[in-house]
Amino acid sequence: MFIDKYFLKANKRFAVTDKELLVINRRLFAPDKRFAAINRRLLVENKRLAATNRRLFALARRLSAINRKSV
């Protein structure tokens, strides 16, 4: 009976530790979610900039061709 009580006490202590670990785990994952959101926004911005870049290169090629013809 004494051993059972000892193990029950130990079990309660470990249960508390488990809860604390869950809380710590949630806190650690919160920044991950935040960074994932930032990352998604950056990817969208990157695609937009890539499209702008392609348009600017096309414009530069057209201007270069016009410039060659005028010389």
Side-chain angles (χ1 to χ4, degrees):
M1 196 65 185
F2 169 75
I3 293 170
D4 283 353
K5 282 182 185 174
Y6 173 78
F7 280 119
L8 273 173
K9 269 187 184 175
N11 210 7
K12 280 179 188 165
R13 267 202 312 269
F14 285 125
V16 167
T17 308
D18 281 351
K19 283 177 188 168
E20 285 168 0
L21 285 173
L22 275 172
V23 169
I24 291 166
N25 210 5
R26 275 195 216 109
R27 279 194 207 122
L28 287 174
F29 274 107
D32 280 358
K33 286 179 183 170
R34 199 173 68 240
F35 287 129
I38 291 167
N39 207 8
R40 277 194 299 276
R41 281 197 297 275
L42 286 172
L43 278 171
V44 168
E45 182 70 8
N46 202 9
K47 284 179 185 171
R48 196 177 62 74
L49 288 171
T52 305
N53 208 6
R54 280 193 299 274
R55 283 195 294 274
L56 286 171
F57 269 112
L59 181 62
R61 278 195 301 273
R62 283 197 299 269
L63 288 172
S64 180
I66 292 166
N67 200 15
R68 275 197 300 275
K69 285 179 186 174
S70 68
V71 170

